[in-house]
Amino acid sequence: MTKLVLGPLLRYVDETRATVWVETDGPCTVAVLDCSAPTFQVGGHHYALVTVRDLDAATPYEVRLDERVVWPEPGGPPSWIRPVAKSAKLRLLFGSCHFDRPEDAKLRKALGPDALTAYGAQLARTPESDWPDALLLLGDQVYADETTPELRSQLRARRDLRRPPGTEVADFEEYTLLYRQAWRDSGIRWLLSTVPTMMIFDDHDVRDDWNTSRAWRAQQARAPWWPQRLLGGLISYWIYQHIGNLSPDELDRDETYQQVLVAGRSGDALPVLREHAARADVEQDGEKGVRWSYHRDLGPTRLVVLDTRCGRILETADRAMLSDGDFRWLRETVDSDHEHLVLASSLPWLLPPAVHHIQSWNEVACTDRGRLPRLAERIRQLGDLEHWAAFRNSFDRLTALIRDRADGDGAPLTVSVLSGDVHHSYLAEAEFGQPTRSRVVQLTCSPLHNPAPRVLRGPLRAAWTAPLAGLLRRLAERAGVAPLPVQWRKTAGPFFGNAIGELDFDSSRAEVRILEAVSERRLTEACHEQLS
């Protein structure tokens, strides 16, 4: 009898269609409402992405495996599919950095209440008419390099953890265990089955500092275990996160997805995805072989989600956060007639100013122009100095693109950049040389469940202060860093609790809230700001 291993996850939803993702323990036909799909096999594991069509109203749904109902769980609340209409209203949740809930009470207390769990519990008590329309997870959905004691015991049963990579996951098989651990909580499982969810990776989905620099890549390439780890991370990301980001039309056009369905329904599609993952990592002529970035139109909003990890260009002297091709795609994609534009980057565009200046200084120090490039590279890796500020040419290019869109013909009312990664939350407003038609804001919400160590909180607060920012700006300028093309001021924060962001649009009105988890069942409003 085939069992449901993981899911259902409600992924793409528009006015009339939805996709629902599941993992099962064997081959079967998966049915949701009146639609069904056979599973496909990858590495001995079985998955399905069911496309539901002809939606016309919010409806509860069941998941059936070979006509046997396996979801909802007995006694659990029903899961719903709610069409996302082309209306003036939209509520978008966002956040990043979600560490698994360990069984160890001491570790669980140190991590604090989980914002996703708390939001799910609160949602279950909320009328369906007030539910959010979508959830965007902005990276570090799993921590492949920081595993819980429960997962380590499973890894220990497979191999000797005294040998590299030790307690980190090693390959695709171990990634499947990691995802099961991360999404097994019943409250989170119900939330992901009911709120349409989009995702993008960050470094911990593969490894801390993933693609920080060319030196980092060379260092990792020397580790014998690294190729299987990287391929396993990208293969599992494609299965568990990426394909659910795509619309049914995009899936029909996606050659890799179609090849996986053919190979995985008659045999095993692992070789197809190994080739795809290898192509995604290879840099050739300043471009990558796979684009993970995507966009969605949600009510009055165009959402553009950027890959700022795998797509980096590092093998040439002109290192870049996005390739020329990706920047061209981005410029074309933001040119829409929506009332609001949302750019999503796992890494903040606008950091605390002192942090920005030290990263830009470090980028120069790591080059041959720096006096001690090897020491600077060591500082870069130890200090995670690899955000947009550390790719200064890309920062300037993104800034120019945002400024042009915010001040051009048909400018949206707001341009919001959603980010995570930095383990604290804040709101900041961008200020160019002259006022723009759009209000431009940086909205950072992190973590969902992995708070910053207390020793870092004082320095992060200080990083917003004018004296420290001014000192480090002068240091950067002496190293040859150009003046900034944009200024910004903090309007709320920093906040250090586990939190989730809530962004509301209602035609010309936009507002954002940061909600901090105070228990596993309740959140409190840390800030609330009108954007337009």
Side-chain angles (χ1 to χ4, degrees):
M1 185 180 297
T2 309
K3 297 179 181 178
L4 183 66
V5 173
L6 199 57
L9 273 69
L10 181 60
R11 300 301 311 270
Y12 179 91
V13 178
D14 61 21
E15 291 181 290
T16 61
R17 304 172 299 175
T19 61
V20 178
W21 179 97
V22 299
E23 181 182 355
T24 65
D25 70 351
C28 64
T29 297
V30 182
V32 177
L33 297 177
D34 294 327
C35 301
S36 63
T39 56
F40 59 87
Q41 182 177 201
V42 179
H45 299 268
H46 302 269
Y47 309 93
L49 188 64
V50 181
T51 298
V52 180
R53 302 182 187 274
D54 301 322
L55 295 168
D56 58 8
T59 180
Y61 72 91
E62 297 175 332
V63 175
R64 303 186 304 278
L65 305 184
D66 292 334
E67 298 305 321
R68 183 173 53 87
V69 175
V70 296
W71 185 270
E73 294 180 318
S79 298
W80 287 72
I81 300 177
R82 302 167 64 248
V84 178
K86 291 183 178 179
S87 66
K89 291 186 177 182
L90 176 78
R91 174 167 291 173
L92 175 64
L93 307 177
F94 65 99
S96 80
C97 307
H98 186 263
F99 195 77
D100 185 23
R101 184 170 184 252
E103 295 178 6
D104 180 77
K106 185 176 181 180
L107 181 54
R108 195 161 61 241
K109 182 179 179 181
L111 287 168
D114 187 323
L116 274 185
T117 299
Y119 198 96
Q122 189 166 292
L123 192 68
R125 305 190 299 268
T126 303
E128 181 264 330
S129 59
D130 293 333
W131 286 3
D133 297 288
L135 165 64
L136 175 60
L137 298 177
L138 284 163
D140 296 344
Q141 277 69 262
V142 292
Y143 280 73
D145 50 352
E146 298 177 27
T147 53
T148 62
E150 297 79 47
L151 185 59
R152 290 174 195 170
S153 66
Q154 296 181 59
L155 301 183
R156 193 174 291 111
R158 298 189 74 240
R159 57 182 172 84
D160 185 354
L161 299 189
R162 293 171 297 182
R163 301 179 63 182
T167 58
E168 302 181 25
V169 300
D171 54 23
F172 171 70
E173 181 65 27
E174 294 184 4
Y175 263 102
T176 67
L177 302 175
L178 180 65
Y179 276 99
R180 291 182 195 181
Q181 289 282 325
W183 292 346
R184 75 189 188 283
D185 177 83
S186 60
I188 292 175
R189 201 170 176 183
W190 177 78
L191 176 69
L192 297 181
S193 76
T194 296
V195 178
T197 304
M198 300 162 287
M199 308 180 190
I200 193 69
F201 44 36
D202 200 20
D203 55 343
H204 289 283
D205 292 87
V206 174
R207 196 170 200 247
D208 187 27
D209 297 337
W210 177 33
N211 282 347
T212 285
S213 63
R214 179 167 52 183
W216 187 93
R217 284 175 63 88
Q219 173 184 316
Q220 286 301 124
R222 292 192 290 270
W225 53 269
W226 176 245
Q228 292 305 313
R229 164 66 162 278
L230 176 63
L231 292 177
L234 292 176
I235 292 168
S236 61
Y237 175 78
W238 187 93
I239 297 168
Y240 288 83
Q241 300 193 48
H242 176 68
I243 56 175
N245 294 327
L246 305 180
S247 71
D249 294 337
E250 290 169 321
L251 291 169
D252 288 344
R253 296 191 300 266
D254 190 288
E255 292 184 8
T256 300
Y257 183 70
Q258 296 304 318
Q259 291 170 4
V260 167
L261 293 185
V262 171
R265 287 172 178 171
S266 60
D268 196 300
L270 185 60
V272 174
L273 288 179
R274 285 181 65 87
E275 189 278 331
H276 179 268
R279 188 168 71 250
D281 183 58
V282 172
E283 182 180 322
Q284 186 172 5
D285 299 326
E287 299 289 339
K288 287 293 186 68
V290 172
R291 177 175 294 141
W292 302 101
S293 302
Y294 60 96
H295 82 274
R296 294 277 297 275
D297 291 334
L298 301 165
T301 303
R302 169 151 290 188
L303 169 67
V304 185
V305 183
L306 300 176
D307 161 25
T308 55
R309 279 294 172 185
C310 193
R312 295 180 179 191
I313 303 303
L314 300 169
E315 300 299 333
T316 67
D318 298 323
R319 55 188 249 121
M321 186 72 82
L322 303 177
S323 69
D324 288 344
D326 282 344
F327 265 115
R328 286 193 296 271
W329 172 85
L330 176 58
R331 185 168 288 278
E332 294 169 359
T333 305
V334 301
D335 187 15
S336 74
D337 59 359
H338 289 76
E339 292 178 285
H340 303 276
L341 173 63
V342 177
L343 302 179
S345 164
S346 63
L347 305 173
W349 166 50
L350 304 179
L351 288 163
V355 177
H356 177 100
H357 295 310
I358 198 67
Q359 292 207 20
S360 294
W361 164 83
N362 177 261
E363 182 184 28
V364 174
C366 287
T367 68
D368 292 338
R369 286 188 292 158
R371 294 182 178 179
L372 297 170
R374 290 185 180 179
L375 176 60
E377 177 65 37
R378 191 176 306 167
I379 293 171
R380 169 153 63 190
Q381 295 186 29
L382 288 173
D384 290 340
L385 307 183
E386 38 86 42
H387 296 70
W388 283 94
F391 290 77
R392 181 54 194 272
N393 288 338
S394 294
F395 175 87
D396 290 355
R397 198 168 178 179
L398 179 64
T399 300
L401 187 151
I402 291 173
R403 183 192 61 232
D404 291 349
R405 189 68 193 96
D407 206 32
D409 294 336
L413 295 169
T414 62
V415 178
S416 303
V417 181
L418 308 186
S419 303
D421 179 70
V422 291
H423 294 267
H424 66 290
S425 303
Y426 60 88
L427 314 181
E429 181 167 7
E431 298 172 343
F432 300 94
Q434 58 186 18
T436 55
R437 299 180 184 183
S438 309
R439 187 179 182 191
V440 180
V441 291
Q442 169 74 61
L443 311 177
T444 302
C445 185
S446 165
L448 290 162
H449 190 225
N450 194 10
R454 292 189 178 275
V455 68
L456 294 180
R457 298 182 185 184
L460 286 171
R461 289 190 182 96
W464 286 101
T465 62
L468 184 58
L471 175 65
L472 294 175
R473 175 180 53 80
R474 290 189 291 274
L475 175 68
E477 289 174 348
R478 288 173 183 167
V481 176
L484 283 167
V486 62
Q487 301 294 321
W488 59 97
R489 60 182 182 86
K490 176 173 61 69
T491 60
F495 308 106
F496 293 98
N498 293 326
I500 190 166
E502 199 172 63
L503 185 56
D504 275 326
F505 299 102
D506 186 353
S507 188
S508 62
R509 181 183 61 83
E511 59 185 39
V512 63
R513 285 173 290 275
I514 300 296
L515 307 174
E516 288 193 340
V518 294
S519 74
E520 296 289 339
R521 293 185 55 79
R522 189 170 67 88
L523 300 118
T524 187
E525 192 175 277
C527 72
H528 182 180
E529 183 169 322
Q530 295 290 136
L531 304 180
S532 67

